[in-house]
Amino acid sequence: MTQRPSNSLVRARDWMFQDRRTGAITVAQWPNLPLWLFLALTLATWIARGAEPAASWLAFAADLALGWWAIDELVRGVNPWRRLLGLATLIGLATLFVLRRAG
C-alpha cells in the first residue's frame, strides 16, 4: 500500500516546478540561444586547447554566454526552480572567476 503525498507536498512541488504560463511541470527545457552558444564555444575551446590566445578568448566567450543564460533564467525563468538554477550558475561563475584570478 503506497501513501499519497500530502497536499502541502503537492503544493510545494507545484510552486517550485510549475510553469506559470502553461501550468506544466518544468524542470529542464531545450537549450535557448545563449546555452547553444555556450555549448558550441565550450566545444571550440576544447578543440583549440593549447592554441593560445584563441583558446582563452573562446573560454571567455563561453563564460559570457553561460552568464547571459544564467541572468536570463534568473530574471525570466518560468518557475522558482529555473530562477534558482540561474542564480546557482551565476554564483558558480563568480566563484570560478575569483579562483582563476587568485591562481
Side-chain angles (χ1 to χ4, degrees):
M1 182 164 153
T2 60
Q3 288 185 343
R4 295 179 57 142
S6 70
N7 263 352
S8 59
L9 287 177
V10 171
R11 281 195 313 269
R13 180 208 61 201
D14 288 348
W15 177 82
M16 181 64 103
F17 297 108
Q18 193 171 43
D19 184 325
R20 301 304 192 253
R21 292 172 291 174
T22 66
I25 298 296
T26 305
V27 176
Q29 298 171 306
W30 281 100
N32 52 16
L33 176 61
L35 204 51
W36 280 119
L37 283 172
F38 167 73
L39 294 171
L41 288 164
T42 300
L43 178 63
T45 301
W46 183 77
I47 291 169
R49 69 176 176 239
E52 296 301 329
S56 293
W57 282 106
L58 288 167
F60 177 71
D63 289 347
L64 283 178
L66 188 59
W68 174 17
W69 174 84
I71 290 169
D72 188 45
E73 285 295 336
L74 183 62
V75 173
R76 298 184 320 132
V78 297
N79 57 34
W81 166 251
R82 301 294 297 178
R83 292 185 192 115
L84 284 171
L85 195 58
L87 178 62
T89 302
L90 283 175
I91 291 169
L93 281 171
T95 303
L96 281 175
F97 177 77
V98 168
L99 291 174
R100 287 176 186 157
R101 298 289 296 172

